[in-house]
Each structure stands twice: as C-alpha cells, then as structure tokens.
Amino acid sequence: MSFFKQIQSALISVYDKSGLEEIIHLLAKQNVKLYSTGGTQRFIEDLGYKVTAVEDLSSYPAIFGGRVKTLHPKIFGAILYRRNNPADVEEARNFEIPDIDLVIVDLYPFEKTLASGAAEDEIIEKIDIGGISLIRAAAKNFSDVMIVPAMEYYAELLHVLKENNGFTKLETRKTFAQYAFQVSSHYDSAIYNYFAQNDAHKALRLSKNNVQNLRYGENPHQKGQFIGDLNELFEQIHGKPISYNNLLDVDAALQLISEFKETTCAILKHNNACGLASREALKDAYAAALEGDPVSAFGGVIVVNKVIDKPTAELMNQLFFEVLIAPGFDSDALSILIQKKNRILLLLKKIDIYQTSVKSALNGFLVQERDTKTEQIADLKCETAICPNEKEMEDLVFANIIVKHTKSNAIVLAKDKQLIASGAGETSRIDALKHAIDKAKHFKLDLSDAVMASDAFFPFADSVETAFKNGIKCVIQPGGSVRDQESIDFCNKHHMAMVFTGIRHFKH
C-alpha cells in the first residue's frame, strides 16, 4: 500500500553543490521550507531563495571550526520523531521541534582526499560526522522522511518530485533509505580500512558500489554479477556483453601481461596461458603464441601489450576468439576486427588489480596478499656444476613467469621466449610434465634445448629424468624438497643445468 506524504520542509547540507540548483528551484516552486548550513545556505541564498540557517533552528552556533553544526536534538528530533506516535508528537510540540520531511546530504569526500595523497590532518578533517548522522537518522525514519544521501541520486529525486508533485510514497522512501545505508556503510568501510591499513589482524571490510549484472555466472543456471567499475580499466569498443567467465580470463590475462615489458602476446583459456611469446613485431609475437596450441586458442582470450596494427589484426581475424585486450587499435586494424559482431574488443586504460585476494570458503573467506614476487636473473641460484648461459637464463625467467600464472600443479616448457607447452592443474607434477611433453609433440614443436619451469619443488628426480629424455637441458624450480639432491645429482650426471628460485608459486 502506498503511503503518500507531502514534502513541506527540507534540510540540505552538501559538500559538492553540483546538480543542486535544479532541485532548489523545484523545491521553492513547491513551497517547501528550506533549512541549511554554511556554504549550502549561501548557495541557496545566491539563487534568490529564503532559507533558515540550522543555527537559527537550534538556537546554537556552529562551533569548533564547523565540526559541530547539525548535531543538536532540535535538528535530529525534527528528523527522527515518529509522526504517528502520540507521545513523540507531544514531545515535539513541547520542545518546539518542527517537521523535516526531506534531507539532502553529500558527504565530505574522504576517499578522494585519501587518494590524493593528502596529509593525515586533511584526511581526518574529511571524515564527515554531521552528514553521516543525518543520513542514518533520516533513513531510520523512512516512514516519515525522505533521505537523499549523495548527489548521484539527485536525478531520481527530481523525477519523484515532478511525478508526484512534491509527494513521496512509502516504498520510494524505503528505497532511498536503502541507498542511504549503502552510502553510509561504504563510507565507514573506507574510513575503517584507512585506520586499519597496517593492522595484520584487521577485519575484512570490502565495499564497492558499482554493480553490473552479467548474463549468468560460470554456468547458465547460476546468477552472476561483477561489483566494481570496469570502465576504470578498459573501454569495451565492440562485441557482445562481457560474461562472468570472460572476466575471469581477463583478470588472469592482465595479471600475466603486466609481467612483460617486451612486445608480448598471450592467449588464455580457462585462466591459463595456452600460448605466449615475446618478439620484436607484434604479429610475430601473436603467430608464435598461436603456434604453441592452436586448438586451445579457439574461443580463448587474447591480450597484448602493444597497439594492434593491421598485419596483426589480419592474422588474428583468422581465429575465432572471445576477447581481445590491447592498449590501442590502429583504425585499419579495428575495421578488420569488428567484422565479427560478437567479438569483444577491450581498449585497455590501465592495469589496476587488487593487491589482496579474497575467496569465499566454508562459512567465511580466505584472504591473502597477491603473489607479486617475480624472480629476475639476479635472484636465481645455480645448483649444478653446469650453469645456464645468458640466453638460457632469459628463457628460464620467461618460463618462470608463465608457470607462476598457471594453475598448480604446473609445468611450463619454453624456448626462445615462446611457450612451447604447459601442463596445468594436474594432481601430480610428473603428470603435468608428461601432459606438456605430449602436447608439444602433438603440435610437432621441438623440445631440444627447451627449458622447464615448475611452480613448486620436485618431490622426486623423475621429472628431471623425463625432461632429459625429451631434450630439455635447463630447469628452474623453487627447491626445498628433502630429496633435492637426487634431482641435482641426476642433472650433474647428465650435464643439465638447474637453478633454484627459493620461491614457490602455487596457484589454486
């Protein structure tokens, strides 16, 4: 049942005055009595309208440099008293507390101030006290009061005021109360995370306001959403709506490509690289990446770290793929790539990925730092009599980056900065290696002088034995097994080189 109430008075206290003018004009036209504070009061007066200062309502001045303006029983009583409760009505009459039917607030910009790198004193001053209290009070009393908690809701307020000629429905006020607690909880989460940023035992407080409904989740029978602002990272310039599974692959693709400075192309399927290569020319990097596994590349996600040119686009256009991510597209390349109407093209703006990973597990969450450690040549320790040469070292680092981003148990075989094959997500390390070798042979890729990378130590010497039998002479692994010496001894006996990183890269 719709319970209509007429807005006869409004308290307006906003930090940012943008978009407020049209609301003031409409409220004045509808004969709404206006109350306001400080800068907002002056803004309304400059528009030529009469407004009552909250100090006149409370008979108490703003104090402490404006820290205390609206925090007064007369103001909060005007918002919180229950109009259908005889005792509340009587108290309001006795204390000469008026009705406030509409509250409009735009909070101090705490997050923007924090992001600006401001000093702590300035950050603290941008913690809104009065505004957040007004929001909570008005939202709690939605039966009688309409709350507009941020400027992003101004357009919806204008629609309500115009459509109902200054009246509001109960269900509308309740919807705006929901907005209010969304704003207040997000605001408080940001403040808490600022204060707890160095606390190793801090509670989990995540808050994102942008919600994008997806076609479905991992499977058609599952609902799915993305919560966050994808527009900060990229612009979709072509194709069908992006899906849940697309986004998982895009996330994996961006984490992987961010590791490379050379011209590089990676092709991913189910979050794992099935092709990757670095070359001087982008078209050559794509061709070498595709060569690694042209079967798995079908329907995959492609990511590059250079602008797509026409020669590269012509090659890519021969393959069916779901998503292409690039920092730019030449116009003649774009005209080729948009020929497939469903093909998703993402223009990358920046790579900005959370440094904390959160997964739901059991009746709670698992939280960890992202694996941001990437070993360089200087970090590698040669454990064998023969050590890798400069070219082999470069391939070892290259392979180690890929295996870091591959589902465990993982083995990567690489050569000349090209992913030859990988074994991903196997339940044993030797099976991961055998799978990689079989795949390389299936696509007739030469394993002689290739290098092998493992995401974790070898529990037995069987992996280096199998690698040697297939022409692999160089190995990179974390080390740390009680049986490391068996692998080292085998390598020494067969003139293989092996380096340890000391860093495990499990990925589940």
Side-chain angles (χ1 to χ4, degrees), residues 20 93 163 252 281 294 344 479:
L20 186 61
R93 183 182 303 115
E163 183 180 50
I344 297 170

Side-chain angles (χ1 to χ4, degrees), residues 19-297:
L20 186 61
E21 183 173 345
E22 187 177 357
I23 293 173
I24 300 301
H25 287 316
L26 184 56
L27 291 174
K29 184 179 178 181
Q30 293 176 345
N31 297 314
V32 174
K33 182 176 178 60
L34 304 177
Y35 298 97
S36 194
T37 62
T40 310
Q41 177 189 340
R42 291 189 294 274
F43 177 84
I44 296 171
E45 289 171 340
D46 289 344
L47 293 175
Y49 298 112
K50 182 180 178 181
V51 55
T52 300
V54 292
E55 292 89 344
D56 294 336
L57 174 59
S58 65
S59 300
Y60 212 95
I63 56 176
F64 308 130
R67 277 191 164 198
V68 179
K69 294 191 290 283
T70 58
L71 296 171
H72 191 279
K74 207 160 190 178
I75 295 168
F76 278 83
I79 296 168
L80 280 166
Y81 94 82
R82 294 160 289 188
R83 277 59 160 176
N84 63 348
N85 183 304
D88 283 11
V89 172
E90 180 65 22
E91 280 190 275
R93 183 182 303 115
N94 291 340
F95 291 104
E96 298 181 332
I97 295 174
D99 291 9
I100 292 179
D101 308 309
L102 170 66
V103 176
I104 302 175
V105 174
D106 185 66
L107 296 169
Y108 289 168
F110 176 82
E111 287 181 283
K112 286 184 180 179
T113 305
L114 179 61
S116 73
E120 182 166 81
D121 285 352
E122 186 178 350
I123 292 170
I124 297 303
E125 285 308 309
K126 288 301 186 291
I127 297 176
D128 205 311
I129 302 301
I132 204 77
S133 302
L134 290 171
I135 287 173
R136 292 177 62 85
K140 178 175 181 176
N141 201 24
F142 68 87
S143 293
D144 299 301
V145 180
M146 176 86 160
I147 173 62
V148 181
M151 60 188 300
E152 65 192 88
Y153 302 107
Y154 287 179
E156 194 170 345
L157 170 65
L158 282 168
H159 174 74
V160 170
L161 294 175
K162 291 175 182 177
E163 183 180 50
N164 300 313
N165 195 28
F167 285 77
T168 62
K169 298 178 183 178
L170 178 60
E171 53 263 40
T172 302
R173 297 193 296 276
K174 190 170 185 179
T175 296
F176 273 75
Q178 173 191 323
Y179 300 158
F181 287 114
Q182 176 180 310
V183 168
S184 66
S185 61
H186 177 81
Y187 197 78
D188 284 342
S189 292
I191 295 169
Y192 168 76
N193 285 325
Y194 169 72
F195 278 97
Q197 58 187 312
N198 297 317
D199 183 355
H201 303 288
K202 71 176 183 179
L204 178 63
R205 293 291 183 271
L206 298 178
S207 180
K208 284 285 188 180
N209 289 327
N210 304 81
V211 178
Q212 178 179 336
N213 288 323
L214 305 172
R215 298 198 304 275
Y216 48 79
E218 280 190 282
N219 301 292
H221 64 278
Q222 296 171 271
K223 293 180 181 178
Q225 293 179 322
F226 178 79
I227 302 175
D229 189 359
L230 292 173
N231 292 323
E232 290 182 355
L233 302 184
F234 49 72
E235 175 189 355
Q236 182 170 346
I237 58 178
H238 185 73
K240 64 185 179 182
I242 200 162
S243 72
Y244 184 99
N245 291 328
N246 290 155
L247 289 172
L248 289 176
D249 281 327
V250 168
D251 176 66
L254 293 184
Q255 291 188 57
L256 176 57
I257 202 69
S258 68
E259 302 266 20
F260 295 92
K261 298 292 186 282
E262 293 180 79
T263 299
T264 300
C265 174
I267 306 172
L268 288 88
K269 197 72 170 287
H270 296 294
N271 310 155
N272 295 306
C274 58
L276 193 151
S278 296
R279 295 289 185 269
E280 288 189 12
L282 185 58
K283 68 180 181 62
D284 296 331
Y286 169 72
L290 182 63
E291 185 182 27
D293 188 348
V295 173
S296 296

Side-chain angles (χ1 to χ4, degrees), residues 232-233 254 350-355:
E232 290 182 355
L233 302 184
L254 293 184
K350 63 178 179 178
I351 298 177
D352 185 11
I353 298 170
Y354 265 118
Q355 295 307 298

